[in-house]
Amino acid sequence: MIQQISDLKMIKLLGKGSFGEVYLSKKMSDNNKYYAVKKIDSNSNNDKLKKYLDYEIKIMKMLNHPNIVKLEEEIKYQNSIYIIMEYINGGSLLEQVRKYKNKYQKGFPEEIVQYLMKQIISALIHIHDNNIIHRDLKLENIMVHFDSEKDKEESNMMKAKIKIIDFGFAILLPSTTSLTNWFILLYGT
């Protein structure tokens, strides 16, 4: 089912979560460039959902890093909110781990793990430097992008770019509270 909002055409459903659906979309005013669009029903009386959505948008606007999904814009249309983000073409890191294991009957070699971890840690440093805690970091929320179709088809993980997604459960600490102080307050010394 193709739906169109303004110049944004939703092509196919990529996935469903507890708070909404994500669609592969094209923006006609942007040379038919692909985007991922999270559609959330804004008519809901669920205050928790609204809080998570507000936080997610606020936090994504604060973050600008090559290993964090980029928020392009948000659109409120009829009874829904559409969060337009860059499209990441390689699926989740969990999917890539499984694909690699099925193909080679073993896990990633150390060289690939180091390459991917460097990107993940770089993104986490940026997130933490902005006093943000993700709180839902897992393989399903770490996406993989390939610049070429060949690298994507071959699952060339040494050419993969990591992108952390899903900031719906993230929290923003007060600017006067460092992460270290926050953990000390929670757990003691």
Side-chain angles (χ1 to χ4, degrees):
M1 175 177 140
I2 295 178
Q3 184 179 0
Q4 188 162 334
I5 296 138
S6 180
D7 70 337
L8 185 67
K9 186 185 287 188
M10 284 177 267
I11 300 167
K12 74 175 185 177
L13 182 68
L14 294 174
K16 285 185 178 185
S18 55
F19 295 132
E21 302 167 330
V22 179
Y23 291 89
L24 175 63
S25 305
K26 274 187 181 182
K27 207 170 189 184
M28 290 169 279
S29 65
D30 197 5
N31 294 322
N32 286 322
K33 184 176 174 182
Y34 287 107
Y35 291 93
V37 177
K38 185 185 278 190
K39 178 185 176 188
I40 299 133
D41 180 13
S42 62
N43 251 0
S44 169
N45 290 328
N46 186 338
D47 289 336
K48 192 175 185 180
L49 169 65
K50 289 176 184 175
K51 177 185 170 191
Y52 287 134
L53 181 60
D54 289 343
Y55 255 89
E56 182 170 23
I57 292 169
K58 179 179 181 178
I59 286 170
M60 287 180 71
K61 285 180 179 177
M62 293 175 63
L63 298 172
N64 183 15
H65 190 275
N67 300 115
I68 298 172
V69 67
K70 185 176 192 261
L71 172 71
E72 297 293 334
E73 67 178 299
E74 62 177 297
I75 297 173
K76 293 177 183 176
Y77 180 74
Q78 293 178 343
N79 298 322
S80 297
I81 297 172
Y82 299 85
I83 301 173
I84 303 164
M85 301 167 283
E86 70 179 306
Y87 173 59
I88 305 164
N89 65 7
S92 73
L93 186 53
L94 178 64
E95 293 169 305
Q96 290 296 332
V97 166
R98 288 177 176 160
K99 188 175 181 181
Y100 191 93
K101 187 165 185 151
N102 286 338
K103 186 173 182 180
Y104 299 106
Q105 278 64 58
K106 63 180 182 175
F108 289 150
E110 186 175 337
E111 179 184 32
I112 291 175
V113 173
Q114 289 175 357
Y115 175 75
L116 299 176
M117 286 303 297
K118 182 178 177 183
Q119 294 177 66
I120 293 167
I121 290 168
S122 177
L124 287 173
I125 289 169
H126 180 73
I127 291 167
H128 294 167
D129 282 350
N130 282 280
N131 275 5
I132 296 166
I133 302 174
H134 189 283
R135 296 195 322 160
D136 195 24
L137 196 60
K138 55 189 176 185
L139 293 179
E140 295 94 321
N141 287 338
I142 301 172
M143 303 297 283
V144 179
H145 184 79
F146 297 97
D147 286 335
S148 79
E149 277 302 311
K150 181 181 179 200
D151 288 335
K152 180 181 170 187
E153 289 299 317
E154 295 175 357
S155 292
N156 184 350
M157 297 307 292
M158 292 303 292
K159 296 277 180 106
K161 291 182 184 160
I162 291 297
K163 301 279 187 171
I164 294 178
I165 65 164
D166 199 350
F167 290 85
F169 291 114
I171 58 170
L172 176 61
L173 299 176
S175 59
T176 57
T177 306
S178 73
L179 284 174
T180 304
N181 289 340
W182 187 78
F183 284 113
I184 290 170
L185 287 171
L186 278 178
Y187 304 109
T189 53

